[in-house]
Amino acid sequence: MLNTLADLNTLAYLCDMKLIADSGSTKITWILTGADGDTHIAESPGMNPALLTREEIIGTLSALVPEQWRRAPVEDAWIYAAGCRSPRESEALTAALSIHFPQARVDAASDMLGAARALCGNSAGVACILGTGSNAALYSPAEGITLSTPPLGYVLGDEGSGADIGKAIVNTVLKRVWPPKLCDSFLCDTGLAADTIIQAVYRTSEPNRFLASLTRWAATNIGLPEVGILITERFTEFLRRNVLTLPGADSLPVSFTGSVAHVFSEQLRAACGICGVTPGKIEKSPAKGLIEYHSKI
């Protein structure tokens, strides 16, 4: 059974409790499960530990744990976090969860490993994240992530991501590559102009999120051939630069998670066909896969 946020009194009957946190920069999905299969979901604001000091990581994450769950008898806890790149972040994330769950065995890892476990489970494969940013990695059930392609961020990489698609749309519109009517339609629908776009990209603190927000317009207009072609091209570039460069990737199923992969799944499958890639799962979120994966541990 899948439930929303529940208080501790409701959870008191659960035994062998497990906590799973899927942590992104903007949102953390918290999952609490019991041996009887009862599952509770909560959400909180996100964080990026790569941008914080050790003390800030501990303080921020500790405060984001759902208050109703903080005394729950959790035996095992896993947190998969964007920005968990080194032992520094991993140790701080572990320390933060241990404040509220001192008896739990806590493990902290990257969001890429979380995506791979959710998508591939106990089989080898290629796991990809297509959200605001993008990433791809080879996964082995025994070894975890064996090789990944550096995403490089929205300026140098992140092909196929929301930010990348938004950047491609802006470039195409402002350079008038699309028919004038379509370019004008984009600017009218979004209420944007060249000056406001330039300011949002070059003079704000989170231009990647601004660019990724433009995928909402793309989703609304996905029936237009020009929009569908552009997105398929960006996914094709993602596969060529991030997946096909991984040794053996052409012989493994390639699975995807993230809002961009989910919304544009038709174009993603088309890109897989162009690149000769075998598509596996396409999931909006890794939550369901992580619940299944950790239920078997």
Side-chain angles (χ1 to χ4, degrees):
M1 180 184 297
L2 190 64
N3 297 301
T4 54
L5 183 62
D7 63 34
L8 189 59
N9 292 330
T10 304
L11 302 172
Y13 66 91
L14 294 176
C15 59
D16 298 325
M17 297 179 71
K18 298 178 180 180
L19 180 75
I20 305 166
D22 174 36
S23 177
S25 296
T26 59
K27 181 182 74 173
I28 301 176
T29 299
W30 300 90
I31 305 164
L32 192 64
T33 67
D36 59 357
D38 223 6
T39 300
H40 302 261
I41 305 288
E43 291 184 351
S44 75
M47 59 176 287
N48 188 330
L51 305 178
L52 304 174
T53 66
R54 181 183 184 279
E55 292 71 23
E56 288 171 336
I57 294 171
I58 294 173
T60 301
L61 182 61
S62 175
L64 293 174
V65 174
E67 187 173 355
Q68 296 92 328
W69 299 0
R70 292 182 185 180
R71 293 181 291 111
V74 171
E75 296 185 4
D76 293 282
W78 297 270
I79 180 167
Y80 299 101
C84 183
R85 302 171 181 172
S86 72
R88 182 191 79 92
E89 293 89 18
S90 177
E91 189 277 333
L93 292 168
T94 298
L97 289 186
S98 296
I99 292 173
H100 299 298
F101 311 109
Q103 305 304 317
R105 294 178 291 270
V106 181
D107 183 59
S110 69
D111 60 339
M112 189 69 251
L113 179 59
R117 285 176 169 174
L119 293 168
C120 303
N122 292 315
S123 301
V126 178
C128 304
I129 298 173
L130 289 173
T132 300
S134 66
N135 207 348
L138 285 172
Y139 171 75
S140 160
E143 302 174 76
I145 300 299
T146 58
L147 184 64
S148 62
T149 304
L152 300 182
Y154 79 101
V155 174
L156 299 177
D158 274 357
E159 297 85 1
S161 68
D164 178 68
I165 291 171
K167 183 166 63 173
I169 291 172
V170 166
N171 181 283
T172 302
V173 167
L174 296 185
K175 294 189 176 184
R176 312 297 283 184
V177 176
W178 279 341
K181 185 177 180 180
L182 181 54
C183 294
D184 293 340
S185 176
F186 168 82
L187 296 172
C188 179
D189 292 346
T190 60
L192 296 171
D195 288 346
T196 55
I197 292 171
I198 295 300
Q199 178 156 339
V201 171
Y202 292 103
R203 298 180 184 175
T204 64
S205 60
E206 295 181 313
N208 58 328
R209 292 190 187 179
F210 163 75
L211 291 168
S213 73
L214 302 180
T215 58
R216 290 194 290 269
W217 179 89
T220 301
N221 294 275
I222 193 60
L224 299 174
E226 294 89 347
V227 177
I229 289 170
L230 180 146
I231 292 173
T232 301
E233 288 176 346
R234 299 319 304 157
F235 285 154
T236 300
E237 194 71 359
F238 169 79
L239 293 170
R240 287 174 174 164
R241 291 181 178 270
N242 297 273
V243 173
L244 293 179
T245 53
L246 296 169
D250 54 349
S251 62
L252 291 169
V254 181
S255 295
F256 307 84
T257 187
S259 57
V260 171
H262 175 74
V263 170
F264 302 112
S265 59
E266 181 180 341
Q267 290 71 34
L268 183 54
R269 292 186 186 279
C272 287
I274 292 170
C275 294
V277 166
T278 302
K281 296 179 180 178
I282 300 178
E283 302 285 352
K284 182 178 181 179
S285 164
K288 180 180 177 182
L290 286 173
I291 293 170
E292 182 178 354
Y293 177 85
H294 286 293
S295 70
K296 300 175 182 177
I297 295 178

